[in-house]
Amino acid sequence: MPIGLPAELLVALRRARRVAALTGAGVSAESGVPTFRDAQTGLWSQYRPEALATPQAFQRDPKLVWEWYAWRRELVGRARPNPGHLALAEFERRLAQRGAVFTLITQNVDGLHAQAGSQNLIELHGNLQRTKCFDCGRPAETWAEDGSVPPRCPACGGRLRPDVVWFNEALPPEALTAAFEAAQACDVFLSVGTSGLVEPAASLPFEALRRGAVVAEVNPHETPLSAHATFVLVGPAGEVLPALVQALSRQ
């Protein structure tokens, strides 16, 4: 058995009928995706991220905000799923084979979990690759290339914006409800590569603990969850998660 993988955790995962996982920026960082603030380089270093990621900023200067997100999309577009992403997708497949349910909740907006093959995915903060209308809220996959920056909504003519959650905006209610339901119903909860500082996502592992679930944290750094988790697996997701999946495959 790999060092640092408690036998009790493996037993709990093998017996679990429902497993939930929460992932944060640490998982994406292993694919080379810059964190929200690390992306402020070059031309954009003069701006605070908070000044470009609010509805008010978009209303003041929609062209500036659209172009910043287009630049971020280009950065993210170069990234590929890492072994941590792939291990979570493999874990979901293995659980499904025995009729168990795996729910992956992510705070990341880069779409790498979907690229890796994860199916039952809740994107709490949206997805950088998607676009919606600022006015009517409808998603937009195509629009007229007439030189407008931002482009115009094909449904109502409003300005299009990235489909991510900005500061001063509520999380999508359906996604948030589904995330808490998964945390409350699971037998095992994995908190992976997240600082545990951003609410409401930070409350999810504690909700799972309150309902009697086994909670395992995977993180190279200590977080507010560390002192409360049932198990703490110290290390990057790209190393710990593949080892966990491999250990689970051995009976």
Side-chain angles (χ1 to χ4, degrees):
M1 183 187 305
I3 295 173
L5 297 182
E8 297 91 340
L9 174 58
L10 297 177
V11 170
L13 285 167
R14 288 192 183 108
R15 291 177 176 172
R17 305 307 302 165
R18 291 183 176 273
V19 178
L22 170 69
T23 64
V27 178
S28 292
E30 293 180 47
S31 286
V33 176
T35 64
F36 189 64
R37 285 166 181 79
D38 288 342
Q40 298 306 104
T41 59
L43 172 67
W44 302 104
S45 60
Q46 62 184 301
Y47 299 99
R48 291 170 53 249
E50 294 85 347
L52 296 171
T54 67
Q56 295 78 17
F58 187 78
Q59 289 173 316
R60 279 195 309 271
D61 196 337
K63 181 176 184 292
L64 178 72
V65 173
W66 177 266
E67 289 178 342
W68 182 56
Y69 274 93
W71 179 71
R72 287 189 64 203
R73 272 195 298 273
E74 184 179 345
L75 285 180
V76 168
R78 302 173 194 158
R80 295 294 178 266
N82 64 58
H85 294 108
L86 297 171
L88 287 167
E90 176 62 21
F91 191 37
E92 179 180 10
R93 284 191 290 270
R94 294 189 182 203
L95 284 173
Q97 287 172 359
R98 61 178 176 85
V101 176
F102 180 75
T103 304
L104 179 54
I105 308 156
T106 187
Q107 297 167 276
N108 301 330
V109 298
D110 48 49
L112 291 176
H113 283 302
Q115 286 185 42
S118 291
Q119 300 290 319
N120 193 18
L121 178 63
I122 300 171
E123 294 175 314
L124 276 182
H125 294 169
N127 189 309
L128 195 60
Q129 307 298 340
R130 293 197 303 261
T131 302
K132 68 178 182 180
C133 180
F134 183 81
D135 294 327
C136 72
R138 294 182 187 177
E141 295 185 3
T142 59
W143 49 82
E145 299 290 351
D146 59 4
S148 300
V149 181
R152 292 289 178 169
C153 172
C156 76
R159 293 187 179 96
L160 295 180
R161 54 161 286 180
D163 189 5
V164 297
V165 177
W166 282 334
F167 292 102
N168 304 327
E169 288 186 321
L171 270 61
E174 296 86 357
L176 186 60
T177 297
F180 271 91
E181 287 177 348
Q184 292 163 351
C186 71
D187 304 303
V188 179
F189 188 100
L190 305 175
S191 178
V192 185
T194 176
S195 67
L197 298 174
V198 179
E199 293 290 0
S203 295
L204 291 169
F206 289 96
E207 187 66 18
L209 279 170
R210 192 173 71 82
R211 296 295 184 106
V214 169
V215 173
E217 180 179 54
V218 178
N219 206 308
H221 309 292
E222 187 175 352
T223 76
L225 175 63
S226 303
H228 306 277
T230 319
F231 301 103
V232 176
L233 309 181
V234 180
E239 295 178 11
V240 175
L241 293 177
L244 188 59
V245 171
Q246 185 178 10
L248 287 169
S249 67
R250 294 194 292 267
Q251 298 298 326

